[in-house]
Amino acid sequence: MSSTALDGALGLIREVPDFPEPGVLFRDISPVLADPAAFRVLVDAMAAGLPAGTDAVVAIEARGFILGAAIAYASGLGLVCVRKPGKLPAVRHRVSYALEYGTATLELPEDTIRAGQRVAIVDDVLATGGTVAATRELVEHAGGIVTGVSVILELAFLKGRDRVPGVDVTALVTT
Ligand SMILES: O=P(O)(O)OC[C@H]1O[C@H](OP(=O)(O)OP(=O)(O)O)[C@H](O)[C@@H]1O
Ligand SMILES: Nc1ncnc2[nH]cnc12
């Protein structure tokens, strides 16, 4: 894959000022997903960067699902979907946390992660890191091991990677 193709794909991310609230510059990946070549390049790059020994992908609702499902399929791995509250019939564990905007809760489904299983966390954007830190807590509570975090875009000024110490964070682009 050429870095030009990847750069072109990343260039499709739309920046929306003051969404969902004043002062937030929202990074919208919708145009990337809508472009077949860009979507493929992005998924392939994230799949290629999964840490060796990863045996499942954990994806975070909602944008993380899109990427996580494609990456898991491309890599021949299982997919664990960490969900927002009220969606799962059987919850293993739940964690609440603060976002760049507002607060949120995530839940891990029962019978997904096995003790000792090595999982990579996938999402679109790493901002404050609250979401991936909560997901790490869910994984580790179930006895899983986080091999790494993979995102398209990292907002470095929010220092999200500091919220997951000891975990390798890979971003296709950092801003
Ligand atoms: O690093 P953080 O500060 O935790 O923020 C990053 C999270 O915020 C966004 O999700 P959002 O909760 O907006 O939900 P969505 O994917 O359903 O749009 C994004 O998709 C990440 O999951
Ligand atoms: N600025 C941002 N753009 C897109 N998703 C986000 N999640 C948290 N902050 C975000």
Side-chain angles (χ1 to χ4, degrees):
M1 164 201 326
S2 78
S3 62
T4 313
L6 183 56
D7 289 345
L10 295 171
L12 294 177
I13 298 172
R14 183 195 308 280
E15 295 190 343
V16 185
D18 300 320
F19 182 86
E21 60 183 41
V24 175
L25 181 60
F26 189 83
R27 282 19 184 246
D28 180 12
I29 64 165
S30 304
V32 187
L33 303 177
D35 182 303
F39 185 32
R40 180 180 289 275
V41 153
L42 213 93
V43 168
D44 288 348
M46 292 177 83
L50 286 185
T54 296
D55 37 50
V57 170
V58 174
I60 304 167
E61 188 169 356
R63 288 172 261 155
F65 285 0
I66 302 160
L67 300 165
I71 292 164
Y73 182 82
S75 309
L77 298 176
L79 177 70
V80 176
C81 293
V82 163
R83 300 217 60 179
K84 294 185 173 167
K87 305 288 186 183
L88 292 171
V91 176
R92 173 68 190 264
H93 190 51
R94 112 173 12 99
V95 173
S96 294
Y97 61 100
L99 272 177
E100 189 184 9
Y101 36 80
T103 59
T105 299
L106 289 176
E107 297 179 343
L108 178 73
E110 277 286 15
D111 298 325
T112 50
I113 292 179
R114 300 183 304 277
Q117 195 173 17
R118 295 169 56 80
V119 308
I121 297 171
V122 169
D123 207 348
D124 63 334
V125 173
L126 176 68
T128 65
T131 303
V132 291
T135 303
R136 176 193 198 173
E137 199 176 325
L138 290 174
V139 168
E140 292 181 349
H141 185 269
I145 298 157
V146 177
T147 58
V149 170
S150 175
V151 296
I152 298 176
L153 184 114
E154 176 183 7
L155 303 176
F157 72 99
L158 290 171
K159 302 189 186 310
R161 63 174 62 221
D162 294 353
R163 300 280 299 276
V164 282
V167 172
D168 186 37
V169 176
T170 305
L172 296 181
V173 63
T174 300
T175 185

